[in-house]
Amino acid sequence: MTTRQHAQQLDEASTLAHTRDRFVLPPGVIYLDGNSLGAVPVGVAARLAQVVADEWGTGLIRSWNALPAGGGDWMGLSGRVAGRIAPLVGARGEDIHVGDSTSVSLFKMMVAAARLRPDRRVLVVEPSTFPTDGYIASGVADLLGLELRWCDPEDPLASVDDDVALLNLTQVNFRTGAMYDLAAITAGAQARGALVAWDLCHSTGAVPVDLTGAGADFAVGCTYKYLNGGPGSPAFTWVAPGLGARQPITGWMGHAAPFAMARDYQPAEGIGQWASGTHQVLALSALDTALEAFDGVTMDQVRAASLSLSDLFIRLLDERLPQLEIVTPRQHASRGSQVSFRHPQAYAVVQALIARGVIGDFRDPDIARFGLTPLYVSHTDVYDAVEHLVGVLDGEEHLRPEHQVRNAVT
Ligand SMILES: Cc1ncc(COP(=O)(O)O)c(C=O)c1O
């Protein structure tokens, strides 16, 4: 049987033990939901206060430009944040736009991709992906008169023929944590002449991603999960350099010269065209500081810590609760940074855990899901969480009426 002492030894050996202090975590809480909303990094509250008081309060409109005393330069903020995200996804900052939601970014990307392949009529999406990807693809297909084709999750390339304009996949599945081989699938789809777009919401900051090495075409991702940017923080879009893609929301901020106030639209060169409207300055400021939590940390370190945490979680479940069906792949190469299991009362089990201070979440229909953010989750957290889970199930705490009540957000 694996002991708590063993978990403590793993923590002592971890190269990321120091990064937990980069976050504000409430006492008495084991937070295993960073794959939904990351914890608050130290410094974010002060940065927001400073931006509000100094840049907005005192600088006022002048803060769109760089202030003589330092600060401001809100026009360059999205680009600076892009520069921080770039090394996490194997890309250059100048090929990344930060703004909008993931859903809006998916829309822009799918329309742009379809227009790059005007002779092809099909968008391929994987049916167990996060619903917004399918909803947006369906909307884009309607708008452009294309066909939406659902692929086999086990073999997405089987659906890619010479009528496919775009294969859109989420690298790490939000329910199970199963991970695709990004490079192999990219190469396979491109060999059939299709473009490939990756949704990296559950990958960025959790697993190493090399968009450049894989030669992918597009990627989007959110920043409020493993990047800890805060609720509703802006998404990012990466477009392969030289692809010549043009996004469809032709707003003034993507114009080559927004303040020329010209009548006719003239797209900015490069990634600048992917901006549509005014930058989300407060949210970008929070994200900018949040990303400092990755300073001096390599994605290989993050990956090693993540796999060590999920290995421990799976081993403890196997030992102590073998009746549970773990749906997260056991092979490292196919696993993201979470552990999920099925339970007929998964919602109530998660509620009972939350009542004990262990925060995970539930995904319909029967998945209990636990995100492992290596920057602040420890092996002892994992040990203690499983101990609580055993307590919940042994004591049938999930059967209590208060744990049956469905909240709007699960
Ligand atoms: C894979 C994936 N795509 C997209 C989204 C959400 O998109 P948006 O940022 O538009 O809410 C999520 C949210 O959890 C997600 O998991």
Side-chain angles (χ1 to χ4, degrees):
M1 277 287 183
T2 303
T3 61
R4 192 169 196 276
Q5 192 190 11
H6 176 66
Q8 281 166 338
Q9 283 162 355
L10 290 174
D11 283 337
E12 279 156 25
S14 168
T15 65
L16 292 184
H18 63 292
T19 55
R20 190 178 173 97
D21 290 343
R22 298 180 179 185
F23 294 85
V24 184
L25 289 159
V29 165
I30 297 176
Y31 194 60
L32 304 181
D33 212 2
N35 54 344
S36 211
L37 174 69
V40 186
V42 168
V44 167
R47 172 73 182 271
L48 282 175
Q50 178 265 326
V51 170
V52 171
D54 300 344
E55 298 184 11
W56 181 11
T58 306
L60 292 163
I61 194 73
R62 293 169 292 188
S63 291
W64 282 106
N65 296 308
L67 296 171
D73 190 17
W74 290 342
M75 287 299 270
L77 185 53
S78 170
R80 290 196 294 280
V81 173
R84 289 188 186 275
I85 295 173
L88 306 180
V89 293
R92 304 183 311 171
E94 57 259 50
D95 301 320
I96 294 176
H97 167 66
V98 188
D100 307 305
S101 63
T102 316
S103 301
V104 170
S105 305
L106 282 163
F107 174 81
K108 290 168 149 182
M109 183 182 77
M110 287 182 188
V111 172
R115 287 178 174 168
L116 285 173
R117 293 284 184 276
D119 50 328
R120 292 173 169 234
R121 315 287 325 144
V122 178
L123 302 177
V124 176
V125 179
E126 189 269 299
S128 69
T129 189
F130 190 82
T132 209
D133 296 60
Y135 300 160
I136 297 286
S138 157
V140 169
D142 276 357
L143 190 72
L144 301 182
L146 304 175
E147 178 197 326
L148 170 59
R149 180 181 296 168
W150 299 105
C151 65
D152 174 359
E154 300 300 320
D155 186 11
L157 290 177
S159 296
V160 181
D161 57 26
D162 58 12
D163 208 13
V164 171
L166 178 73
L167 170 63
N168 178 77
L169 290 177
T170 298
Q171 188 192 10
V172 176
N173 185 280
F174 77 105
R175 283 196 188 86
T176 64
M179 181 166 77
Y180 284 121
D181 182 336
L182 187 148
I185 292 181
T186 298
Q190 289 175 343
R192 294 161 167 85
L195 294 160
V196 185
W198 290 97
D199 181 330
L200 300 179
C201 280
H202 288 269
S203 319
T204 316
V207 297
V209 175
D210 185 4
L211 290 169
T212 307
D217 299 299
F218 296 96
V220 298
C222 67
T223 61
Y224 44 76
K225 300 182 192 294
Y226 295 98
L227 299 190
N228 314 300
S233 60
F236 70 89
T237 305
W238 172 81
V239 183
L243 201 58
R246 288 271 174 251
Q247 66 95 357
I249 305 182
T250 48
W252 73 303
M253 276 290 161
H255 192 282
F259 284 89
M261 304 287 172
R263 188 195 68 176
D264 296 326
Y265 183 73
Q266 177 64 42
E269 283 299 313
I271 202 69
Q273 196 256 327
W274 287 71
S276 294
T278 303
H279 301 291
Q280 299 144 278
V281 172
L282 296 180
L284 282 166
S285 299
L287 177 58
D288 189 32
T289 296
L291 287 165
E292 289 176 8
F294 283 89
D295 284 355
V297 172
T298 67
M299 284 311 298
D300 287 340
Q301 278 178 296
V302 170
R303 180 63 169 160
S306 160
L307 287 173
S308 178
L309 290 166
S310 55
D311 278 347
L312 176 66
F313 205 144
I314 290 171
R315 188 177 341 133
L316 288 165
L317 291 180
D318 281 346
E319 287 175 0
R320 306 191 60 184
L321 297 164
Q323 73 274 23
L324 293 177
E325 183 195 345
I326 298 171
V327 294
T328 302
R330 285 162 188 271
Q331 309 86 332
H332 284 178
S334 309
R335 190 193 307 161
S337 195
Q338 72 187 56
V339 173
S340 305
F341 60 80
R342 272 189 222 290
H343 189 283
Q345 306 241 27
Y347 177 78
V349 170
V350 168
Q351 293 306 305
L353 279 171
I354 292 173
R356 282 170 167 260
V358 179
I359 304 182
D361 65 18
F362 162 80
R363 286 295 175 262
D364 215 52
D366 57 359
I367 299 284
R369 187 178 83 142
F370 301 91
L372 302 168
T373 303
L375 295 185
Y376 54 77
V377 173
S378 67
H379 296 83
T380 40
D381 285 338
V382 167
Y383 185 91
D384 293 343
V386 174
E387 184 83 14
H388 281 294
L389 180 58
V390 171
V392 164
L393 296 175
D394 281 356
E396 299 195 328
E397 292 171 20
H398 56 293
L399 299 182
R400 292 181 190 160
E402 67 266 30
H403 298 322
Q404 312 294 321
V405 183
R406 281 283 172 111
N407 294 318
V409 175
T410 62

